[in-house]
Amino acid sequence: MEKRYCLECSTELKGRSDQKFCSDYCRNTYNNKVDKETKNLIRNINNRLKKNYKILSELNTTGKVKVSRTKLYDKGFDFQLFTSIYNTKTGNTYFYIYNQGYLALENDLFLLIKKEL
């Protein structure tokens, strides 16, 4: 019979023929390493989206308000990240982070809106 070894620590395995790991610790360690960079990228983007959402929620307590670009930048808002775009028939483009949206106006102002779900 062919010898089998743990995928994480390379200890010889005894027991079931389809066994891949010697312990739960090795199984967890191995699976945590799989796609680590991808998982970190997704986690970082989600954290930045949450931050953007929190900023819009704090500034837009009434459901519709105008704020300056400077105010958004000062709070750390990232204009590169959003979850969806809505183009109106009149040609306006709203950017949304979940249900919180913003529309660029003239003079570096933004209209913040909240879409009711």
Side-chain angles (χ1 to χ4, degrees):
M1 191 166 169
E2 187 178 324
K3 290 187 178 183
R4 297 169 293 109
Y5 298 94
C6 177
L7 294 177
E8 178 60 27
C9 70
S10 301
T11 0
E12 188 176 345
L13 296 174
K14 296 176 180 153
R16 293 177 39 175
S17 61
D18 62 345
Q19 186 178 5
K20 295 179 182 179
F21 304 100
C22 64
S23 66
D24 285 339
Y25 176 81
C26 281
R27 180 179 47 82
N28 286 328
T29 304
Y30 179 86
N31 287 323
N32 285 338
K33 289 179 186 176
V34 175
D35 296 328
K36 184 177 180 181
E37 291 79 30
T38 305
K39 290 176 186 176
N40 282 338
L41 174 69
I42 292 169
R43 183 181 307 113
N44 290 337
I45 290 172
N46 282 338
N47 286 337
R48 289 167 54 197
L49 281 170
K50 285 180 197 175
K51 182 177 180 182
N52 275 358
Y53 183 82
K54 183 179 175 189
I55 291 167
L56 292 179
S57 297
E58 288 172 356
L59 294 173
N60 186 12
T61 56
T62 61
K64 195 174 193 179
V65 68
K66 289 181 183 178
V67 297
S68 68
R69 178 183 295 272
T70 309
K71 195 168 201 173
L72 290 168
Y73 270 132
D74 289 348
K75 291 193 170 279
F77 191 81
D78 185 351
F79 287 93
Q80 300 294 316
L81 293 173
F82 47 87
T83 56
S84 64
I85 298 174
Y86 176 69
N87 292 312
T88 65
K89 292 178 183 176
T90 58
N92 292 330
T93 302
Y94 287 87
F95 295 90
Y96 280 92
I97 295 134
Y98 306 113
N99 69 329
Q100 294 285 343
Y102 61 93
L103 169 69
L105 303 171
E106 62 275 345
N107 300 328
D108 273 350
L109 287 176
F110 286 86
L111 175 66
L112 305 184
I113 60 167
K114 181 177 181 181
K115 184 178 10 175
E116 296 301 323
L117 303 174

